[in-house]
Amino acid sequence: MGAPSQPHQATYAAIVIGAGIQGSFAAYHLAQRHRDTLLLEQFLLPHSRGSSHGQSRITRSAYPRAPYDRMMPDSFRLWQRLEAEAGTSLYRRTGLVVLGPVGDPELEGCRRSLGANRLLDATELAQRFPGLRLRADEAAVWDDTGGVLFADRALRAVQDVFRRRGGTLRDGEKVLRIEPGAVLTVTTTAGLYRAPRLVIAAGAWTSALVAPLGLRLPLQPLRIDVCYWREKEPGSPDAGRAAPCFMAVGLSQAPHGVYGLPALEYPGLVKVCYHHGSPADPDKRDRGLLGAPRPNIALLSSFISSYLPRLEPRPAVMESCLYTNTPDGDFILDRHPKFSNIIIGAGFSGHGFKLAPVVGKLLCELSLGEEPSHSTAPFAITRFPGALRAAL
Ligand SMILES: Cc1cc2nc3c(=O)[nH]c(=O)nc-3n(C[C@H](O)[C@H](O)[C@H](O)COP(=O)(O)OP(=O)(O)OC[C@H]3O[C@@H](n4cnc5c(N)ncnc54)[C@H](O)[C@@H]3O)c2cc1C
């Protein structure tokens, strides 16, 4: 055995912490701007400990909240660009049904964002998608741009293009310390790196990284049950692979919403999840899980019996993932209030994947001191009073 290797030391034009989908897209855009960029990841890649793993995520145009609605056309365009650059397909168009009680504000917001004049009633929806059932006082809106993003493949593609542009990705290297300054110093388990700008996109670990920088962000990591449900009659076209994606909003029995995607990961198993979970320490995500009560599974079983009667109401496969929620469900995309060359992207609250190409672009623009191409005012840290601790 040789002598232990010396810690790495190097200087870059930019450092990004976190090779999930947001940090990887920030690094991709920085490298495109000919910036010599280092992307640091604590785990060996690929890994399933954060928020970006798995084969599928929903994308859509229907967005009840204006800032996201305005960003989606740019996002669709940038996903297509990545497909072309990586020479691979990352998106399958399935369409998306948004369903909820007639008059529900979120359902109405989706209708407005699509410019649709009217909603589909229960009979119309049943004719079109017999696998989906509504109650008489419920309605649906159809988003024909909706579909599935191939998440793991997308993450690999954006990292491959980043490296092809000359970027450096170092995985299995955890950031331990950040020293602010005109030139920042980042200390990891294997090295010491310097750069004039830093992007922190560390998902559920963001609070731990920014606390020593005097920031207390109201980020709540949640463990999410990712559930797959078997078709009662395997291969039925409208329950399985050929079904649309869906989102259920405004239901009293599922107040945070339910969403589903056609069978993809496992043949004949449809992914249906509750859009909420249990508070978790990201380093101990699955602790105490065996045998513990899982109230969200009972909620999903009851939802499936009512709305998706062609599926068995017991999950066939269960996996885990993490959300990092803000109190208002909106992202954080901002400069550190005191150290303006530290940019933070966090709090994606379970809906950040589809927007990652735009999020990465905004993080890149903020870090270069440019006017962001979409307003980042709705994503400001200052909306949380007390986020900047007086100690600094
Ligand atoms: C089950 C599930 C379903 C979802 N469905 C959808 C959907 O349908 N549509 C949609 O748009 N969004 C969806 N999302 C949300 C979306 O996946 C997330 O918003 C997105 O993946 C967040 O990415 P991230 O890069 O912020 O976090 P992460 O992927 O967790 O990346 C952060 C990275 O930082 C690394 N890191 C942390 N600390 C350090 C450190 N000290 N040093 C080095 N590296 C560090 C972590 O290891 C991690 O790899 C879903 C999420 C889940 C969990």
Side-chain angles (χ1 to χ4, degrees), residues 1-6:
M1 242 158 85
S5 56
Q6 292 296 309

Side-chain angles (χ1 to χ4, degrees), residues 194-209:
R194 291 194 175 82
R197 54 186 70 80
L198 173 70
V199 175
I200 301 177
W205 291 265
T206 301
S207 293
L209 273 171

Side-chain angles (χ1 to χ4, degrees), residues 17-23 40-43 47 50-52 57-58 173-175 201-205 209 224 226 259 271 321-323 348 350-355:
I17 304 176
I21 197 69
Q22 312 295 4
L40 288 166
E41 169 56 47
Q42 63 180 337
F43 298 123
H47 75 85
S51 302
S52 301
R57 294 291 187 276
I58 295 177
E173 212 174 311
K174 180 175 176 159
V175 172
W205 291 265
L209 273 171
I224 303 296
V226 185
Y259 57 89
K271 181 170 165 182
C321 193
L322 284 170
Y323 282 4
F348 296 101
H351 64 114
F353 203 96
K354 67 183 88 56
L355 282 152

Side-chain angles (χ1 to χ4, degrees), residues 4-333:
S5 56
Q6 292 296 309
H8 297 280
Q9 293 215 25
T11 300
Y12 292 87
I15 297 176
V16 179
I17 304 176
I21 197 69
Q22 312 295 4
S24 298
F25 261 113
Y28 157 102
H29 286 287
L30 279 159
Q32 193 201 1
R33 305 288 298 274
H34 310 294
R35 301 287 160 164
D36 180 20
T37 303
L38 172 66
L39 174 59
L40 288 166
E41 169 56 47
Q42 63 180 337
F43 298 123
L44 288 175
L45 292 169
H47 75 85
S48 55
R49 305 298 307 170
S51 302
S52 301
H53 61 280
Q55 263 95 62
S56 61
R57 294 291 187 276
I58 295 177
T59 187
R60 55 187 152 108
S61 296
Y63 241 116
R65 284 184 281 182
Y68 307 103
D69 190 32
R70 283 196 288 270
M71 286 153 73
M72 276 316 298
D74 203 10
S75 194
F76 273 105
R77 194 179 52 74
L78 288 169
W79 277 115
Q80 275 175 0
R81 195 175 88 185
L82 177 63
E83 282 184 318
E85 287 164 338
T88 187
S89 134
L90 301 174
Y91 163 60
R92 180 148 69 85
R93 191 166 177 167
T94 62
L96 169 103
V97 173
V98 187
L99 60 93
V102 172
D104 176 74
E106 209 173 330
L107 183 66
E108 273 305 304
C110 287
R111 183 189 63 73
R112 271 196 307 277
S113 92
L114 292 167
N117 300 326
R118 56 182 290 278
L119 299 168
L120 301 171
D121 65 22
T123 313
E124 289 168 307
L125 192 76
Q127 278 164 357
R128 204 152 162 192
F129 302 112
L132 263 175
R133 196 160 296 167
L134 292 188
R135 298 184 182 149
D137 59 349
E138 293 169 345
V141 62
W142 172 243
D143 176 354
D144 73 348
T145 68
V148 180
L149 289 165
F150 303 135
D152 280 343
R153 198 191 284 180
L155 189 61
R156 213 168 41 240
V158 68
Q159 291 169 356
D160 284 350
V161 175
F162 164 67
R163 271 189 289 232
R164 237 194 280 150
R165 289 177 177 161
T168 305
L169 199 174
R170 300 187 65 88
D171 61 350
E173 212 174 311
K174 180 175 176 159
V175 172
L176 304 173
R177 205 169 46 252
I178 299 164
E179 284 162 50
V183 175
L184 301 123
T185 306
V186 172
T187 308
T188 72
T189 41
L192 200 137
Y193 308 101
R194 291 194 175 82
R197 54 186 70 80
L198 173 70
V199 175
I200 301 177
W205 291 265
T206 301
S207 293
L209 273 171
V210 302
L213 300 171
L215 269 189
R216 193 187 290 123
L217 297 178
L219 295 171
Q220 176 62 70
L222 297 174
R223 195 192 61 76
I224 303 296
D225 289 312
V226 185
C227 302
Y228 301 86
W229 310 76
R230 195 177 301 286
E231 297 169 73
K232 287 180 181 163
E233 283 182 37
S236 82
D238 47 68
R241 196 174 182 282
C245 295
F246 75 86
M247 283 165 41
V249 298
L251 304 183
S252 55
Q253 69 270 44
H256 294 281
V258 174
Y259 57 89
L261 297 82
L264 180 80
E265 287 80 351
Y266 307 104
L269 301 190
V270 176
K271 181 170 165 182
V272 182
C273 304
Y274 190 41
H275 190 45
H276 202 62
S278 339
D281 173 338
D283 288 320
K284 302 175 192 154
R285 187 191 65 189
D286 297 336
R287 186 169 286 184
L289 211 54
L290 270 181
R294 311 273 280 263
N296 294 344
I297 307 290
L299 179 155
L300 283 169
S301 293
S302 148
F303 176 89
I304 287 194
S305 299
S306 310
Y307 291 88
L308 300 161
R310 297 187 179 189
L311 300 182
E312 298 278 2
R314 280 181 311 279
V317 173
M318 285 197 279
E319 297 167 344
S320 294
C321 193
L322 284 170
Y323 282 4
T324 307
N325 282 19
T326 58
D328 55 14
D330 288 327
F331 305 165
I332 293 173
L333 304 174

